[in-house]
Every structure is written in structure tokens, then in C-alpha cells.
Amino acid sequence: MSWFVVFAPRPGSRVRATAPGRVNLIGDHTDYMGGLVLPMAVDLATTVEGVQGGDRVELTSDLADGVVSLELPVGDPRTVEPPWGRYVAGVVAEGDLGPGFGLTGAVTSTVPVGSGLSSSAALEVAVLLALGGRGEPDEVAELCRHAESAATGVPCGIMDQLCSAAGVEGHALLIDCDTLEVVPVPVPDDAAVWVVHSGQERTLAGSEYATRRRQCEAAADLVGALPDADLADIGSIEDPVLRSRARHVRSECDRVREMAAALADDDLSAAGAAMLASHASLRDDFEVSTPLLDALVEELAATSGVHGARLTGAGFGGCAVALTSPGTDLSTVGARAWRVRPAEGARLTVL
Ligand code: GLA
């Protein structure tokens, strides 16, 4: 299935495609249930530069060992070695690309891997553009989301790929994952965003991500679409696990609206409060935090200049995001920390 993305490479031409990673300010584990999210594309990005055409995709990477060498068309992306090549193969497979649609080049990236900054989505979107794929951001994102699932078996939502494709400089994106409507929300000048690593690496393939999604779907079978479900109906779900999962999705969507409104009003303490409440819900109702992430968020919340903090992305390790005043320096907190700025989405340059 090639969605509505058209692949029109120009054999022999050299291209450079760049796609940003993202940090999610609020709204986690809502996208795959058709809920709201508020991610921001960041100034850490993945670039694929190469020559289009030929019958193979051959790529090196400055972040990982091994050369990805795929003959077109590709078989099952999940068997490709080295493992980062599975994301490349996923895009090639979902794009239905055969001989003539190849690419020879190199991947370079500043997006840290396994940190909750969507390095895989950035790679997929950059590869798609470098292969000559063209489409609206939501179409690009749909193809890449399916590529991610084909590569890893993880039934992920659309947030990461859509944010990478549709990013707007200086803005976070309020995304309705049901309609795929994207509304840019300016990040106030007197706010800074930090991503702080807990020191715990993780991959979603080995996590309980798929279990959480199944639990949410079981809850939605009982009370209807979770983002709009009636709170009393959610309260009457008998199974306590399904009840908590549903309560998280419903309340997280409310918090996304609150935080988007707070950023628009430049009310950073209200935005920070929504982030702290989100972390508590991900910890207690959704159970995707870890002791390290909880300790990190507590430390951040107690740091002067921090308005709020929460785990970001899927959880089970990875990073926390903090909203701070511009002069705050968090570079010595956690295992590693990055100050990130809201960046534009993916783009292609023909060299
Ligand atoms: C991962 C997935 C996203 C989303 C988040 C949790 O990043 O790829 O689709 O579900 O987890 O919000």
C-alpha cells in the first residue's frame, strides 16, 4: 500500500533530506486512541544524503555500525541487518518500491537513539523524502508510521512521524490524532524546553507498549472512544486496570487542551502544572514510568527556574521534558541533557 505518497525519484540526482526528531510536551499514549498530543519538532535532526536511482538502497550511518544494503523490492523488514536498516526497509516496503527506485548515500544524525526523541521517525521521514517520496505531511506520516510497525512490530501511533513531517519553527503542534488536524501553537519567548535523559535506554519492541494499546482498546469497547468518553462511564468500568488506562487517556486529552491554552496565554506556571499532572497520570494510571524517571521528574520539579516536567514519549525509560525559564541550565541534571528549540519539519534539497 503506497498511501497517497508518490515516489518520483530523479535517477542520478544528488539529494539531501533532513527530518527533525521531536519532543512531546504533553499528551502521551493518546495518539493511537485518536486523542490529542502537543509535540514539538526539535533542532536535532537526521539527514540522508545520496544519489537517487539504481536497483538497491545502500546507506551508511554515522550513528551505527554496518552498511544497509537492500535489493529492491525488499522482503520482510524485520529480518534486515544491521537493525537500523529495518526502518529503511520499512519505508521501501510500504512505498512498494521496486528496481529503479534505489538510493546510494549516507545517514548522519544528531538525534540520540533510544531516548524518546523519535530517532526512528526522523530516519523514516528523511529516507522517504530522499527516495523521492512526495505527499502532504499526514500522508508522509501515515506511510512512515506503517513502516515503523513493519520494522519493529510495534503498533505505534502517528504523533512522531507527523510531528517530524509537519514541524513549524518556533511552534509546538496541537494534533488531533483522529482527524489529523495540526494547529501550530507558538512556544513563548520567555520559555525554554530541555530534554533530560534518565540514563535508562529502552526500545519499544521489548516494552509493554502493545499491551497498553490493547488495554485501551478493550476499555474503548466498553465506553466508546476514550478521548471523549463520559467520566462516569469510565468510573463504572469493572476491571481496575482498564479503568485506570481509560482514565489516563481521557484526562491526558484534557491536559493537552489546558497546556496548549496556557502556552497561548504565556501562562507558564499553568503549563508546568499540566505537565506535572500528566507525569502523575502516566506513573499511576498508565504505569509506564520507572523509578529513575520519577526521581528525575521530582528533581527537575524542585529545581529553580523549572515550571514543570514529565516523562516524554512512551516511557519505560528514556527522557523527561522540562519547561523552564530561558536562563535555566539543566545541563548537569540526569545522564545527559539537551536544550532544544522548536524547529521546522522535514525538507528535501536537490543538490
Ligand atoms: C511512541 C509512539 C507514539 C506514541 C508515544 C506515546 O513514541 O511511537 O506513537 O504513542 O510513544 O505517546
Short mmCIF file of all heavy atoms in Angstrom, two decimals, residues 22 24 27-32 37 116 118 145 148 154-161 202 204 209 313-315, ligand 1:
data_model
loop_
_atom_site.label_atom_id
_atom_site.label_comp_id
_atom_site.label_asym_id
_atom_site.label_seq_id
_atom_site.Cartn_x
_atom_site.Cartn_y
_atom_site.Cartn_z
N ARG A 22 11.63 14.79 17.69
CA ARG A 22 10.59 15.58 18.35
C ARG A 22 10.62 15.33 19.85
O ARG A 22 11.10 14.28 20.31
CB ARG A 22 9.20 15.25 17.80
CG ARG A 22 8.72 13.82 18.09
CD ARG A 22 7.83 13.75 19.32
NE ARG A 22 7.47 12.39 19.69
CZ ARG A 22 8.14 11.68 20.58
NH1 ARG A 22 9.21 12.15 21.16
NH2 ARG A 22 7.73 10.46 20.90
N ASN A 24 7.76 15.41 22.95
CA ASN A 24 6.34 15.62 23.20
C ASN A 24 6.16 16.42 24.49
O ASN A 24 6.56 15.96 25.57
CB ASN A 24 5.61 14.27 23.29
CG ASN A 24 4.10 14.48 23.28
OD1 ASN A 24 3.62 15.52 22.85
ND2 ASN A 24 3.36 13.48 23.74
N GLY A 27 0.67 14.85 26.31
CA GLY A 27 -0.24 14.04 25.51
C GLY A 27 0.45 12.75 25.11
O GLY A 27 0.76 12.54 23.94
N ASP A 28 0.71 11.87 26.09
CA ASP A 28 1.33 10.59 25.74
C ASP A 28 0.34 9.44 25.91
O ASP A 28 -0.52 9.46 26.79
CB ASP A 28 2.61 10.37 26.56
CG ASP A 28 3.80 10.99 25.85
OD1 ASP A 28 3.95 10.75 24.64
OD2 ASP A 28 4.55 11.75 26.49
N HIS A 29 0.51 8.47 25.01
CA HIS A 29 -0.38 7.30 24.94
C HIS A 29 -1.82 7.74 24.67
O HIS A 29 -2.76 7.14 25.20
CB HIS A 29 -0.26 6.44 26.20
CG HIS A 29 1.08 5.76 26.29
ND1 HIS A 29 1.37 4.62 25.58
CD2 HIS A 29 2.21 6.09 26.96
CE1 HIS A 29 2.63 4.26 25.83
NE2 HIS A 29 3.16 5.15 26.65
N THR A 30 -1.96 8.77 23.85
CA THR A 30 -3.29 9.20 23.40
C THR A 30 -3.41 9.07 21.89
O THR A 30 -4.51 8.93 21.38
CB THR A 30 -3.54 10.67 23.78
OG1 THR A 30 -2.43 11.45 23.31
CG2 THR A 30 -3.67 10.86 25.28
N ASP A 31 -2.26 9.12 21.16
CA ASP A 31 -2.36 9.20 19.68
C ASP A 31 -3.03 7.98 19.09
O ASP A 31 -3.92 8.10 18.24
CB ASP A 31 -0.99 9.50 19.03
CG ASP A 31 0.09 8.45 19.23
OD1 ASP A 31 -0.08 7.55 20.07
OD2 ASP A 31 1.13 8.55 18.54
N TYR A 32 -2.66 6.78 19.57
CA TYR A 32 -3.23 5.58 18.96
C TYR A 32 -4.68 5.35 19.36
O TYR A 32 -5.33 4.45 18.84
CB TYR A 32 -2.37 4.34 19.23
CG TYR A 32 -2.01 4.12 20.69
CD1 TYR A 32 -2.92 3.58 21.57
CD2 TYR A 32 -0.74 4.45 21.16
CE1 TYR A 32 -2.59 3.37 22.90
CE2 TYR A 32 -0.40 4.25 22.48
CZ TYR A 32 -1.33 3.72 23.36
OH TYR A 32 -0.99 3.51 24.68
N VAL A 37 -2.40 15.43 21.11
CA VAL A 37 -0.99 15.45 21.50
C VAL A 37 -0.44 16.85 21.25
O VAL A 37 -1.00 17.60 20.46
CB VAL A 37 -0.16 14.40 20.71
CG1 VAL A 37 -0.57 12.99 21.06
CG2 VAL A 37 -0.28 14.62 19.20
N GLY A 116 13.57 8.54 23.42
CA GLY A 116 12.25 9.14 23.40
C GLY A 116 12.21 10.41 22.57
O GLY A 116 11.29 11.21 22.70
N SER A 118 12.39 10.20 19.19
CA SER A 118 11.91 9.76 17.87
C SER A 118 12.98 9.72 16.81
O SER A 118 12.78 10.21 15.69
CB SER A 118 10.76 10.65 17.41
OG SER A 118 9.65 10.41 18.19
N ARG A 145 4.56 5.73 9.60
CA ARG A 145 4.05 5.01 10.78
C ARG A 145 3.91 3.51 10.45
O ARG A 145 4.26 2.65 11.27
CB ARG A 145 2.69 5.56 11.18
CG ARG A 145 2.03 4.74 12.27
CD ARG A 145 0.84 5.47 12.82
NE ARG A 145 -0.32 5.36 11.97
CZ ARG A 145 -1.35 4.59 12.23
NH1 ARG A 145 -1.33 3.83 13.31
NH2 ARG A 145 -2.40 4.56 11.44
N GLU A 148 7.29 1.96 10.42
CA GLU A 148 7.79 1.69 11.78
C GLU A 148 7.22 0.37 12.31
O GLU A 148 7.92 -0.45 12.89
CB GLU A 148 7.41 2.86 12.71
CG GLU A 148 7.68 2.60 14.18
CD GLU A 148 8.90 3.34 14.73
OE1 GLU A 148 9.33 4.33 14.10
OE2 GLU A 148 9.40 2.92 15.78
N VAL A 154 5.86 -2.98 16.46
CA VAL A 154 5.19 -2.17 17.50
C VAL A 154 4.03 -1.38 16.87
O VAL A 154 4.24 -0.67 15.88
CB VAL A 154 6.20 -1.19 18.15
CG1 VAL A 154 5.49 -0.28 19.15
CG2 VAL A 154 7.32 -1.95 18.83
N PRO A 155 2.84 -1.51 17.43
CA PRO A 155 1.68 -0.82 16.84
C PRO A 155 1.62 0.65 17.26
O PRO A 155 0.73 1.08 17.99
CB PRO A 155 0.49 -1.60 17.40
CG PRO A 155 0.98 -2.08 18.74
CD PRO A 155 2.46 -2.33 18.60
N CYS A 156 2.59 1.44 16.78
CA CYS A 156 2.71 2.82 17.27
C CYS A 156 1.64 3.71 16.66
O CYS A 156 0.98 3.36 15.69
CB CYS A 156 4.10 3.35 16.94
SG CYS A 156 4.42 3.47 15.19
N GLY A 157 1.48 4.88 17.25
CA GLY A 157 0.56 5.89 16.73
C GLY A 157 1.27 6.78 15.73
O GLY A 157 2.40 6.50 15.31
N ILE A 158 0.63 7.91 15.38
CA ILE A 158 1.14 8.73 14.27
C ILE A 158 1.89 9.98 14.72
O ILE A 158 2.47 10.70 13.91
CB ILE A 158 -0.03 9.12 13.33
CG1 ILE A 158 0.54 9.56 11.98
CG2 ILE A 158 -0.91 10.22 13.96
CD1 ILE A 158 -0.46 9.55 10.87
N MET A 159 1.91 10.23 16.05
CA MET A 159 2.46 11.50 16.53
C MET A 159 3.87 11.79 16.03
O MET A 159 4.14 12.90 15.53
CB MET A 159 2.46 11.51 18.06
CG MET A 159 3.32 12.61 18.65
SD MET A 159 3.13 12.80 20.39
CE MET A 159 3.81 11.29 21.03
N ASP A 160 4.79 10.85 16.19
CA ASP A 160 6.20 11.13 15.95
C ASP A 160 6.45 11.47 14.49
O ASP A 160 7.13 12.44 14.17
CB ASP A 160 7.07 9.92 16.35
CG ASP A 160 6.75 9.43 17.75
OD1 ASP A 160 6.12 10.17 18.51
OD2 ASP A 160 7.14 8.29 18.06
N GLN A 161 5.91 10.65 13.61
CA GLN A 161 6.14 10.85 12.19
C GLN A 161 5.46 12.13 11.70
O GLN A 161 6.01 12.87 10.89
CB GLN A 161 5.62 9.63 11.40
CG GLN A 161 6.44 8.36 11.61
CD GLN A 161 6.07 7.59 12.89
OE1 GLN A 161 5.14 7.96 13.61
NE2 GLN A 161 6.79 6.52 13.16
N ARG A 202 15.93 2.37 26.19
CA ARG A 202 14.85 1.40 26.00
C ARG A 202 14.47 1.32 24.53
O ARG A 202 14.71 2.23 23.76
CB ARG A 202 13.62 1.80 26.81
CG ARG A 202 13.10 3.19 26.47
CD ARG A 202 11.71 3.12 25.91
NE ARG A 202 11.25 4.40 25.42
CZ ARG A 202 11.47 4.82 24.19
NH1 ARG A 202 12.18 4.12 23.35
NH2 ARG A 202 10.98 5.99 23.78
N LEU A 204 10.95 0.18 22.21
CA LEU A 204 9.53 -0.14 22.42
C LEU A 204 9.22 -1.60 22.13
O LEU A 204 8.28 -2.16 22.68
CB LEU A 204 8.66 0.75 21.52
CG LEU A 204 8.65 2.21 21.91
CD1 LEU A 204 7.57 2.93 21.14
CD2 LEU A 204 8.44 2.36 23.40
N TYR A 209 4.36 -1.61 25.45
CA TYR A 209 3.60 -0.64 24.65
C TYR A 209 2.35 -1.30 24.03
O TYR A 209 1.24 -0.78 24.13
CB TYR A 209 4.52 -0.09 23.56
CG TYR A 209 3.91 1.01 22.72
CD1 TYR A 209 4.11 2.34 23.04
CD2 TYR A 209 3.15 0.71 21.58
CE1 TYR A 209 3.57 3.36 22.25
CE2 TYR A 209 2.61 1.71 20.80
CZ TYR A 209 2.83 3.03 21.14
OH TYR A 209 2.29 4.02 20.36
N GLY A 313 7.24 10.81 25.66
CA GLY A 313 7.24 9.66 24.76
C GLY A 313 6.56 8.48 25.42
O GLY A 313 5.67 8.64 26.27
N ALA A 314 7.02 7.29 25.06
CA ALA A 314 6.32 6.10 25.52
C ALA A 314 6.58 5.77 26.98
O ALA A 314 5.79 5.09 27.62
CB ALA A 314 6.73 4.91 24.66
N GLY A 315 7.72 6.27 27.53
CA GLY A 315 8.06 5.89 28.90
C GLY A 315 8.87 4.62 28.93
O GLY A 315 9.58 4.32 27.96
C1 GLA B 1 5.85 6.35 20.97
C2 GLA B 1 4.97 6.08 19.75
C3 GLA B 1 3.96 7.22 19.58
C4 GLA B 1 3.20 7.48 20.88
C5 GLA B 1 4.17 7.61 22.06
C6 GLA B 1 3.45 7.71 23.38
O1 GLA B 1 6.65 7.48 20.74
O2 GLA B 1 5.74 5.95 18.58
O3 GLA B 1 3.08 6.92 18.54
O4 GLA B 1 2.23 6.51 21.11
O5 GLA B 1 5.06 6.52 22.12
O6 GLA B 1 2.71 8.88 23.43
#
